[in-house]
Amino acid sequence: MSPYARYAILRILLFAVVLFIGYAVGMREFLLIVFALVVSAVLSYLLLGGPRQALVEKLQQRTARRHERAVERQEQRAASGKRSRSDEDNAAEDADDDSRRG
């Protein structure tokens, strides 16, 4: 199971358990929802450190891979002499600024 799904399911289950306990104790309506949100948030912070860390590591790996691919694409463009549209737009904007100043 992916870390995303595991963490989300655990958070939802924790909220449901706290909601059930609050209802069994006699809480109703708004107080029950607020109680369940606050208590489940605190408990998830205390109890779900492992799944949260696994999720963070997965997100860091994904971000690093995206960054590496972006750097590779940029290096390939530079080696081939091609310019991206944003590079062309920046060059045109710089030329326009230079012409206005001069």
Side-chain angles (χ1 to χ4, degrees):
M1 181 182 297
S2 78
Y4 309 107
R6 182 174 182 217
Y7 186 69
I9 289 170
L10 289 172
R11 287 286 308 259
I12 291 168
L13 285 174
L14 191 59
F15 175 76
V17 167
V18 173
L19 191 70
F20 177 75
I21 291 170
Y23 187 81
V25 172
M27 292 183 192
R28 300 292 185 263
E29 299 176 13
F30 184 72
L31 179 62
L32 175 62
I33 300 297
V34 171
F35 171 77
L37 285 172
V38 170
V39 171
S40 68
V42 171
L43 288 176
S44 71
Y45 179 76
L46 296 173
L47 301 175
L48 301 180
R52 185 174 46 252
Q53 185 61 33
L55 176 62
V56 167
E57 289 172 3
K58 180 75 171 180
L59 290 171
Q60 287 174 338
Q61 291 170 358
R62 184 176 171 189
T63 302
R65 281 195 310 266
R66 284 185 175 185
H67 179 71
E68 288 170 4
R69 285 188 295 221
V71 168
E72 287 174 6
R73 282 193 304 269
Q74 191 175 25
E75 289 173 352
Q76 288 173 353
R77 269 197 306 270
S80 68
K82 293 182 181 178
R83 291 173 40 170
S84 68
R85 287 186 181 176
S86 63
D87 290 340
E88 292 173 1
D89 288 345
N90 289 338
E93 186 177 318
D94 291 343
D96 186 45
D97 286 343
D98 292 342
S99 68
R100 289 182 186 190
R101 289 183 190 150

